[in-house]
């Protein structure tokens, strides 16, 4: 049984403070703008900049930020990483796995789950996710500020991500973990699913039959009517056997 | 108990065919290149292009593809969406939620889980994920080809993603679902993890040094203070090299 909403012994889940995104030594202001956009996509707003190469503020960040200009306007600028994370209780640094540094490494999803668990206990804590310069990533001095390294574990043959993509993937994991779960889709098994070409063959014959039968009395509405029919049959997702049956129906109905 | 590897009654999990990525009416070839890069990051290689605005092949796609030039070189070009997905058994279209089309909509993670479930049953099936033009997204005619709509459910105040980011998020979910799980962060490999005896030797020497330095002014509290220190060093879990460094620190600090 769920607790009554206003039962004081069952307070609602606390609203947690999302982590700040700390960009260290970013080379191009356009990338800062694109990171701001990725952050806002995912409900993150606390952007902290450590010694961007061309200083701050930088008008080159504004156009790439598009609708996330508010994140840029509120961004804080620091001379050093230590100042940027001085108020932070937990710090995660994005990096490839490192065997030379004894810092635990985990995937982005696991990192979000761990951080979220911490914030359930201490929802007002400031926490930080660090991202290094575009070309080189974070240096050892920066990495040793981190409680954990976050490794994206992408295709080992090609794992290169640009800065805004790295921010987006972390943000996506944060957003996916903290938002309400999506409704459960109806999952069906289709033992003998039909290839799309077979469906198209049926549907083309179907609409041709309708045309021949003068089904579409209003030519202007034909496109939307066809779309609606196609959406229906696609959603119904006929199996091969069902398509054969539908073809038989068409044959029967159009026979004179 | 796990089944023996070569037990024919327990065949290994089938290698599934990853879905193809279908880009419909893409306006800029540079975006096709960046999509190829995002695909390769995530182990996706089957790129199909439907009527890109400037035709195909297009050399403008190559530089943005960076290390994913092979995906570009193998991309297939089609005049119509129906041709591009003619061999596909299941088709998902990325789109905002639509109330005017009766097509089930689900999140990217749920869509991957559903598709993966299908492919466990039919691993060789061709399947497709559709992405529309940059400015407008997929039109109704295209959407009605889909069994499902994929909605990213990002921040409702700012959900705009560019094309390559949309491909990346889908690819990330695919990759995260199908790759081997990341190693447990708790069981990180420490090539040079110290045996407990080495730790104890350090810690005994440490507490002896503290005793000799009259650190414990209150004898009653000594046990709990030592416990607290041991817990700290144990949690830090020093490697052999780190222990040697700590021993050196002790030697230095206690030298007269």
């Amino acid at each position: 049984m769920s607790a009554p909403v206003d039962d004081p012994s069952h307070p609602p889940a606390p609203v947690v403070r999302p982590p700040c995104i700390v960009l260290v030594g970013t080379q191009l202001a356009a990338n800062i703008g694109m990171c701001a956009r990725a952050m806002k996509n995912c409900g993150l707003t606390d952007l902290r900049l450590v010694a961007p190469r061309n200083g701050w503020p930088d008008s080159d960040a504004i156009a790439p930020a598009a609708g996330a200009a508010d994140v840029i306007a509120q961004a804080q600028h620091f001379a050093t990483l230590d100042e940027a994370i001085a108020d932070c209780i937990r710090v995660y640094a994005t990096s490839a796995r490192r065997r030379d540094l004894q810092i635990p490494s985990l995937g982005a999803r696991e990192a979000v789950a761990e951080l979220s668990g911490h914030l359930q206990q201490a929802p007002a804590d400031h926490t930080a996710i660090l991202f290094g310069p575009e070309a080189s990533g974070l240096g050892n001095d920066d990495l040793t500020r981190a409680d954990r390294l976050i490794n994206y574990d992408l295709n080992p043959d090609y794992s290169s991500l640009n800065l805004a993509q790295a921010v987006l993937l972390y943000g996506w994991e944060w957003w996916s973990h903290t938002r309400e779960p999506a409704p459960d889709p109806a999952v069906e098994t289709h033992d003998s699913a039909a290839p799309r070409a077979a469906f198209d063959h049926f549907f083309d014959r179907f609409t041709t039959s309708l045309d021949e039968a003068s089904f579409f009395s209003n030519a202007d509405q034909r496109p939307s009517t066809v779309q609606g029919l196609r959406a229906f049959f696609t959603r119904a997702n006929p199996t091969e056997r069902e398509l054969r049956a539908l073809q038989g129906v068409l044959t029967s109905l159009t026979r004179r």
Side-chain angles (χ1 to χ4, degrees), chain A residues 16-251:
Chain A
V16 305
R17 184 194 302 278
C20 68
I21 298 296
V22 182
L23 304 183
V24 179
T26 311
Q27 298 172 281
L28 297 177
N31 289 332
I32 297 174
M34 294 179 68
C35 288
R37 199 180 149 180
M39 287 173 62
K40 190 167 177 179
N41 281 152
C42 304
L44 301 173
T45 56
D46 187 350
L47 173 59
R48 303 182 183 191
L49 306 171
V50 177
R53 191 180 63 179
N54 297 322
W56 193 259
D58 187 327
S59 60
D60 287 351
I62 295 174
D70 51 336
V71 174
I72 292 291
Q74 297 159 18
Q76 299 175 76
H77 178 222
F78 299 90
T80 68
L81 175 57
D82 286 335
E83 292 170 82
I85 60 175
D87 59 352
C88 294
I89 302 290
R90 298 278 289 172
V91 175
Y92 292 72
T94 54
S95 168
R97 288 185 187 281
R98 296 289 297 268
R99 300 202 175 276
D100 54 331
L101 292 173
Q102 295 297 327
I103 307 174
S105 180
L106 69 180
R109 191 163 298 174
E110 296 76 19
V112 164
E114 185 188 80
L115 178 60
S116 182
H118 174 88
L119 290 171
Q120 290 301 318
Q121 303 301 317
D125 274 4
H126 288 271
T127 58
I129 318 296
L130 315 185
F131 296 83
E134 293 90 331
S136 58
L138 292 163
N140 281 9
D141 245 16
D142 297 332
L143 293 176
T144 57
R145 265 67 181 174
D147 300 292
R148 296 277 192 277
L149 303 186
I150 299 176
N151 181 284
Y152 286 115
D153 279 323
L154 287 160
N155 180 359
D157 293 333
Y158 189 62
S159 58
S160 155
L161 282 181
N162 71 38
L163 182 58
Q165 287 175 321
V167 170
L168 178 67
L169 287 190
Y170 181 84
W172 167 256
E173 287 295 327
W174 170 263
W175 178 260
S176 298
H177 189 89
T178 54
R179 71 175 162 85
E180 290 297 305
D184 192 2
V187 180
E188 322 131 280
T189 54
H190 290 283
D191 304 330
S192 53
R196 187 52 49 114
F199 177 89
D200 287 345
H201 180 253
F202 158 72
F203 194 76
D204 287 345
R205 195 176 153 227
F206 177 56
T207 50
T208 300
S209 300
L210 294 179
D211 281 323
E212 291 172 349
S214 304
F215 171 76
F216 303 102
S217 52
N218 185 331
D220 288 345
Q221 293 175 1
R222 186 185 185 283
S224 64
T225 304
V226 170
Q227 284 169 6
L229 290 168
R230 181 179 273 276
F232 164 77
F233 278 104
T234 300
R235 192 178 75 249
N237 196 16
T239 63
E240 291 198 329
R241 178 178 300 182
E242 289 164 343
L243 276 182
R244 282 197 299 274
L246 289 170
Q247 296 276 20
V249 167
L250 263 191
T251 301

